[in-house]
Amino acid sequence: MKVPPFRLERYFAEHEFNAPFLLCCSDCESLTVKELLALEPGAMEGLQDLWLGYTESQGGAALRQRIAGLYNTISPEDILVHAGAEEAIFNFMNVTLERGDHVIVHAPCYQSLSDVAASIGCQVTEWKASRERDWELDLDVLRKNLKPHTKAVIINCPHNPTGYLMDRETFQELVRLSREHGFIIFSDEVYRGLEYLESDRLPALCDVDERGVSLGVMSKSFGLAGLRIGWIATRNADLRRKMAAFKDYTTICSSAPSEYLATVALKHADFLISRNLRIIGGNLQLLDAFFERNGTLFRWVPPKAGPLAFPGLSDAVNVEAFCRDVLQKAGVLLLPGTIFGKEYNHFRIGFGRANLPECIEKFEDYLNRYRPRG
């Protein structure tokens, strides 16, 4: 198995800790350990008394109990904790797929959602969203691409990088097609909870599909990326057992302090998500105004959920050169859309952090001084 370089992660490895103004991050505002422990009486003492031995390979019982509470039909036994979302994606693909299988992937996408399958020897078809449809997925395209050997369909809602949110009717039809054709749905739900209207929130896939898999993580909606705690939730016991066995060859088990801190955080899940929604809401108002002022250069499709959007750039301006120039002259880091595919003359913008007003000020100052022609 050979995987290609992970373009997004290599880009961040080069720039994330050098650029002063990060305007493309995928996570939400984080906390210090002190701030997190202050949410729960006795948590500081509990951390100090924590035994630093191995943890359970499935994830600690207290943590799995808290994770299960995020769902309606899921028990702690239905949870398998991983080191972030990336390990869960890697393990799912390796357990579920074999060379020659067909996989359909919601695109544009986080690279591992497609490239791990391709590295196994699967045929990968992109289920492409288009800007002309406001990044909406077309079920007719999915139906036309289904094959007798389609093993899995990979979706991500709320979506990275576009902020798209699937409507309930499309979601329900996707589940029906899964049952009709026999493919497994892997649902990347790392931004679930960050819908701007709670009424728009989709059910977790694992709650409505007994064979499907929901992916969650502490990094995105909760803003606690440094914990490196993710999980899958599924009532598919056979798949879960196989993933647990495969995990013995990856991380085996998680960090005890990370599991403890994640358990504390999930006791206050509503507070953390509400806090990040407030930050996102205020930042989104600033972005709406910014893109209205600069409408001749950018094509803005307002997101429906989450802390990300994927504005387009005038066709006369090359996005890679533009992002490079913004970084060099203003210290503002954008993520060029070509990271997701050569055809995307877009850039990803992240607005889940509290310092977005300062980042946008620096970005607009750059435009006022160096606006590209186009």
Side-chain angles (χ1 to χ4, degrees):
M1 176 185 185
K2 293 187 180 294
V3 292
F6 204 127
R7 296 182 298 275
L8 181 147
E9 298 299 346
R10 291 298 87 210
Y11 185 85
F12 273 109
E14 181 179 359
H15 299 300
E16 181 177 8
F17 296 98
N18 299 314
F21 304 105
L22 305 181
L23 196 48
C24 58
C25 294
S26 61
D27 57 351
C28 290
E29 186 70 17
S30 197
L31 298 171
T32 65
V33 172
K34 182 178 180 179
E35 289 170 332
L36 176 56
L37 293 174
L39 296 176
E40 179 68 18
M44 178 66 79
E45 293 77 11
L47 180 61
Q48 291 171 339
D49 293 337
L50 182 68
W51 183 66
L52 293 178
Y54 287 116
T55 61
E56 295 180 57
S57 61
Q58 187 177 352
L63 175 57
R64 287 186 286 112
Q65 182 73 44
R66 288 292 170 183
I67 293 171
L70 301 173
Y71 304 98
N72 294 328
T73 67
I74 295 298
S75 70
E77 288 69 36
D78 298 325
I79 303 297
L80 182 60
V81 175
H82 289 81
E86 183 66 87
E87 185 194 19
I89 294 168
F90 184 84
N91 290 2
F92 168 83
M93 300 286 182
N94 276 279
V95 163
T96 306
L97 304 175
E98 297 179 1
R99 177 176 295 275
D101 284 339
H102 179 234
V103 181
I104 297 176
V105 182
H106 179 179
C109 69
Y110 190 62
Q111 188 174 332
S112 59
L113 292 174
S114 62
D115 279 9
V116 176
S119 73
I120 293 168
C122 296
Q123 177 188 357
V124 178
T125 299
E126 290 188 335
W127 185 12
K128 283 193 176 183
S130 68
R131 182 185 59 81
E132 290 73 19
R133 292 171 54 91
D134 291 347
W135 304 115
E136 181 183 352
L137 289 169
D138 187 342
L139 278 170
D140 287 338
V141 172
L142 176 68
R143 293 187 187 98
K144 290 175 183 176
N145 282 290
L146 286 173
K147 302 177 186 294
H149 61 298
T150 299
K151 180 68 73 69
V153 172
I154 316 300
I155 60 170
N156 171 212
C157 287
H159 186 238
N160 171 13
T162 67
Y164 161 76
L165 181 63
M166 187 180 292
D167 63 71
R168 196 170 296 266
E169 292 74 21
T170 300
F171 180 75
Q172 291 171 341
E173 177 63 9
L174 177 61
V175 172
R176 191 196 69 77
L177 288 170
S178 166
R179 291 171 178 154
E180 178 184 345
H181 293 273
F183 59 79
I184 291 176
I185 302 172
F186 182 88
S187 179
D188 180 342
E189 300 169 2
V190 297
Y191 293 105
R192 190 165 182 267
L194 295 183
E195 299 82 4
Y196 308 149
L197 296 175
E198 188 172 351
S199 58
D200 288 342
R201 185 172 304 155
L202 294 172
L205 179 77
C206 59
D207 281 329
V208 299
D209 182 355
E210 63 281 358
R211 296 171 58 249
V213 178
S214 291
L215 174 69
V217 77
M218 297 303 300
S219 305
K220 307 303 184 183
S221 298
F222 301 105
L224 298 172
L227 296 184
R228 308 310 303 138
I229 293 291
W231 62 85
I232 59 121
T234 182
R235 289 177 284 157
N236 189 333
D238 181 60
L239 173 59
R240 192 177 64 252
R241 282 192 296 269
K242 289 177 180 177
M243 287 187 65
F246 190 87
K247 186 171 177 275
D248 293 339
Y249 285 93
T250 53
T251 60
I252 304 176
C253 66
S254 301
S255 154
S258 289
E259 287 205 357
Y260 178 86
L261 292 170
T263 304
V264 171
L266 289 174
K267 291 181 180 180
H268 302 275
D270 290 344
F271 166 78
L272 293 173
I273 286 179
S274 295
R275 167 181 174 268
N276 286 329
L277 275 172
R278 285 195 298 273
I279 293 171
I280 287 169
N283 287 344
L284 193 53
Q285 291 182 10
L286 293 178
L287 288 178
D288 284 337
F290 169 83
F291 284 110
E292 183 176 357
R293 289 193 299 272
N294 296 281
T296 58
L297 183 59
F298 304 118
R299 299 186 296 269
W300 175 237
V301 177
K304 296 180 180 178
L308 297 171
F310 205 43
L313 197 57
S314 166
D315 291 338
V317 180
N318 177 275
V319 70
E320 291 184 357
F322 176 73
C323 291
R324 186 166 53 247
D325 199 54
V326 174
L327 178 60
Q328 290 173 350
K329 294 178 178 174
V332 174
L333 185 66
L334 303 170
L335 185 68
T338 48
I339 291 287
F340 297 95
K342 293 180 180 179
E343 69 270 35
Y344 297 112
N345 201 48
H346 296 70
F347 58 91
R348 188 178 78 179
I349 195 163
F351 49 95
R353 295 188 179 185
N355 70 337
L356 177 126
E358 182 182 13
C359 295
I360 281 293
E361 182 181 348
K362 298 295 182 182
F363 187 24
E364 192 150 33
D365 180 60
Y366 164 87
L367 294 177
N368 290 336
R369 289 187 292 162
Y370 306 110
R371 176 181 294 270
R373 296 179 180 178

